[in-house]
Amino acid sequence: MPEKKVNILAIESSCDETSAAICRDGEILSNIIAGQKVHEQYGGVVPELASRAHMQNIIPVVHKACRDAGIALPEIDAIAFTQSPGLIGSLLVGAQFAKSLSLSLQKPLIAVHHMQAHVLANLISEPRPSFPFLCLTVSGGHTQIVVCESPLKMKVIGETIDDAAGEAFDKAAKLMGLPYPGGPLVDKYAQTGNPERFLFPEPQISDLNFSFSGVKTAFLYFLRNAGKSTVYKPEQTASEEEQEAFIRDNLPDICASIQHRIISILINKLKKAAVLTGIREVCIAGGVSANSGLRQAIRETGEKNHWNTYIPEFQYCTDNAGMIAITGYYKYLNKEFSDLSVISSARSEW
Amino acid sequence: MELIFHLDAIRDAARRFLAETKGKTVFAFHGEMGAGKTTFIHAICDEKGIRDIVSSPTFSIINEYRPEDAKNGEKIFHIDLYRMKDQEEAMLAGVEDCLYSGAICFVEWPEKAPGIFPPDTEHIYITLAGSETRKLRIGRN
């Protein structure tokens, strides 16, 4: 008789995406993501709206994930969910749903850390990195470099001390008056711009940590001074008309230049991490890995430095339950279960 | 009181700030984007021995840290109201629960929901005094 296969149902609700996935023996059979269009008109994710939308979405999303995978609820062996970090109201919706399902199906519950799951998204499909590998995880709320020694053994060796890379993109976009979500628009305008036309300072942080607040401040004054300098000089401040005209006339070059700096900050730390650890298997993960400039930079840097580089399929880069499912699968094999008293946490420590 | 400091001496400024505001629990940091609110709160948290990574809560709204010598689940909340539309939204996001919990709260963009702050909130105003120097004013004049 063949060995019984392990089916994991995973639920992710840490921010504005409600997602459910089914994984069988490490293979993702379905990965359903319901985005929340409602935030675009507010210029960002609104926590209360996010929780309400999760409540509306969660049952249809789980239902579709099971149907697409051809799995009925009784066939599920364990339920994995995102425990932390994220918006607390959003996390609670997924956690309560997972706990209720665990109780009613009498199947074990697996609490998953969102950031660990982003890293393990690289194990979902071929080509997979070999251990140990480095992973740069970049999203709207996080920027980290992680050394991953085995699926359940990883260590954060660098992270942002202020803004996340995705936040830097979004705030830069907002300063230029671009609509939400601004990051992808910066990337789009950057395609036709000259990345070397304007120079923004690189933060001097000695270890593997990141800082983007200095670049943000420089960018703010760069726009206020209509491109004449990146430092605060009240006497240089341009009129609002001049500032608007400057942005309008130079948008592609401005976008390309700020994108170039944000990416070079990421890549330089990744290069440093590779030298310090001697690891040449290098992955990226998180929503910002959709950025075309970052994808190109990681490929080129990899070729130059003889790294093998990996980028997960796009559906596994943004917030998704597929990555929670693969993490849940490894935790299942290791029998890392949680009881119903496990609490959601906004705290990012792991 | 007022404090003017170079960014290289931010830890000293944080130390003086803590001495000056001893006993207060809720701190509202006013200042435009790029003024250095997150950076200053980071320095205060370093002074308080927080080992958790302190970063911008713009995305997460509420960050929760634990001091190294935490007793009885002592917490510090780092809150950012930047993306809040109004007071009601901040309340629904659970911000009030933090502000009235007795825990230390550092709040950025307090002007997005001015009405939810307890009366003994310490207000701090951060402005640029030069590209590498900042002016910190504590208290409403």
Side-chain angles (χ1 to χ4, degrees), chain A residues 45 161-162 167 171 220, chain B residues 32-33 42 54 56 58 83:
Chain A
V45 177
I161 59 166
D162 41 59
E167 183 181 346
K171 284 192 170 163
L220 170 77
Chain B
E32 63 175 358
M33 193 188 285
H42 193 115
V54 175
S56 165
T58 297
R83 298 193 293 115

Side-chain angles (χ1 to χ4, degrees), chain A residues 165-299:
Chain A
E167 183 181 346
F169 274 111
D170 285 338
K171 284 192 170 163
K174 190 151 184 163
L175 289 170
M176 290 185 282
L178 297 178
Y180 177 85
L185 281 173
V186 173
D187 189 20
K188 188 181 146 214
Y189 290 117
Q191 314 274 337
T192 56
N194 173 6
E196 281 162 15
R197 170 133 177 244
F198 304 112
L199 193 65
F200 299 103
E202 175 148 18
Q204 304 301 313
I205 310 274
S206 57
D207 49 22
L208 292 172
N209 286 337
F210 300 93
S211 169
F212 292 98
S213 69
V215 178
K216 176 181 71 185
T217 307
F219 190 65
L220 170 77
Y221 287 101
F222 167 79
L223 296 180
R224 291 230 175 127
N225 301 333
K228 287 192 273 297
S229 98
T230 58
V231 295
Y232 169 73
K233 281 187 190 144
E235 70 278 7
Q236 274 192 357
T237 306
S239 69
E240 271 184 35
E241 292 75 31
E242 284 173 308
Q243 292 179 33
E244 277 169 26
F246 173 70
I247 294 170
R248 196 177 52 237
D249 299 343
N250 300 282
L251 193 57
D253 288 351
I254 299 173
C255 287
S257 300
I258 189 69
Q259 171 155 316
H260 177 70
R261 174 50 82 211
I262 294 171
I263 291 170
S264 69
I265 292 171
L266 293 170
I267 294 289
N268 288 344
K269 291 289 175 165
L270 197 53
K271 280 202 263 191
K272 195 169 172 183
V275 170
L276 285 172
T277 59
I279 297 172
R280 289 183 176 180
E281 295 284 299
V282 181
C283 305
I284 55 175
V288 179
S289 53
N291 179 284
S292 64
L294 179 60
R295 295 173 89 92
Q296 192 188 342
I298 192 111
R299 271 193 303 267

Side-chain angles (χ1 to χ4, degrees), chain B residues 6-78:
Chain B
H6 191 272
L7 291 176
D8 291 342
I10 194 164
R11 282 291 288 268
D12 293 330
R15 206 169 304 134
R16 280 190 60 194
F17 173 87
L18 282 171
E20 200 67 38
T21 59
K22 220 173 167 54
K24 294 280 185 176
T25 55
V26 178
F27 300 89
F29 287 85
H30 304 257
E32 63 175 358
M33 193 188 285
K37 297 179 292 299
T38 304
T39 304
F40 192 69
I41 291 168
H42 193 115
I44 300 172
C45 289
D46 284 346
E47 272 303 303
K48 292 189 75 70
I50 288 171
R51 284 274 191 83
D52 285 340
I53 196 89
V54 175
S55 57
S56 165
T58 297
F59 182 81
S60 53
I61 317 290
I62 302 170
N63 281 359
E64 190 185 311
Y65 312 131
R66 225 160 284 172
E68 208 176 341
D69 56 348
K71 310 166 214 64
N72 310 323
E74 185 193 347
K75 292 171 182 174
I76 289 180
F77 292 109
H78 182 188

Side-chain angles (χ1 to χ4, degrees), chain A residues 64-111:
Chain A
K64 188 162 170 30
C66 290
R67 204 179 48 210
D68 287 7
I71 289 224
L73 284 178
E75 295 174 75
I76 286 163
D77 297 292
I79 297 127
F81 72 100
T82 307
Q83 180 200 3
S84 66
L87 306 177
I88 192 76
S90 294
L91 286 168
L92 284 170
V93 176
Q96 289 313 115
F97 188 86
K99 286 180 186 180
S100 313
L101 209 52
S102 156
L103 189 63
S104 59
L105 297 174
Q106 290 294 306
K107 291 292 158 70
L109 188 65
I110 300 171

